[in-house]
Amino acid sequence: MPSYSEGLPQVFMEAMTAGLPVISTNLPQMQEVIDDGVTGFLIPPGNRDKLAQKMQILIDNPELRIAMGNKAKQVSHLRFDAEKNCYQIENIFQELSAIHLRQEKSNYN
């Protein structure tokens, strides 16, 4: 996805979960998803030559492509597991709720 602006596309997480290396533009949110040179490549927005170069690297180097895909799959299971992430979010809300209740209680004392 050689875009100029992007949210956090589900397609990257799906590709990584399938064991595929990914190529995206070097936007801040994509830096959180892709480890450049490890799980895929980050390129400057609009740089078609760099996109073609990175694609050719993956085409010409099946061992690298497989290694990056395997690493992408590992990372996706650590970072993008929906069940684990929902559990973590639930814990954050419980902690915030407990803090709020303690503050309310101290306001009444």
Side-chain angles (χ1 to χ4, degrees):
M1 287 190 120
S3 15
Y4 289 93
S5 65
E6 206 57 71
L8 184 58
Q10 188 72 22
V11 68
F12 288 108
M13 293 173 271
E14 291 169 349
M16 292 172 71
T17 300
L20 299 172
V22 292
I23 303 172
S24 177
T25 48
N26 191 15
L27 301 171
Q29 61 274 29
M30 298 318 306
Q31 294 171 14
E32 295 179 25
V33 177
I34 301 167
D35 296 323
D36 190 34
V38 179
T39 61
F41 293 115
L42 294 168
I43 60 169
N47 191 326
R48 295 177 187 161
D49 293 334
K50 191 62 87 171
L51 174 61
Q53 175 191 30
K54 297 302 183 180
M55 290 172 71
Q56 195 65 52
I57 288 171
L58 293 175
I59 291 167
D60 292 341
N61 297 286
E63 298 86 11
L64 175 64
R65 185 175 63 243
I66 291 167
M68 290 176 90
N70 287 336
K71 185 63 177 175
K73 189 172 189 171
Q74 291 173 350
V75 167
S76 77
H77 288 296
L78 290 173
R79 292 186 192 167
F80 310 126
D81 180 271
E83 187 174 328
K84 183 174 95 174
N85 289 343
C86 285
Y87 178 75
Q88 289 175 337
I89 290 170
E90 181 182 13
N91 284 339
I92 290 169
F93 281 124
Q94 287 175 353
E95 289 174 22
L96 291 173
S97 178
I99 290 169
H100 179 72
L101 289 174
R102 283 194 303 269
Q103 287 175 344
E104 280 189 349
K105 193 174 186 179
S106 69
N107 289 339
Y108 290 116
N109 292 333

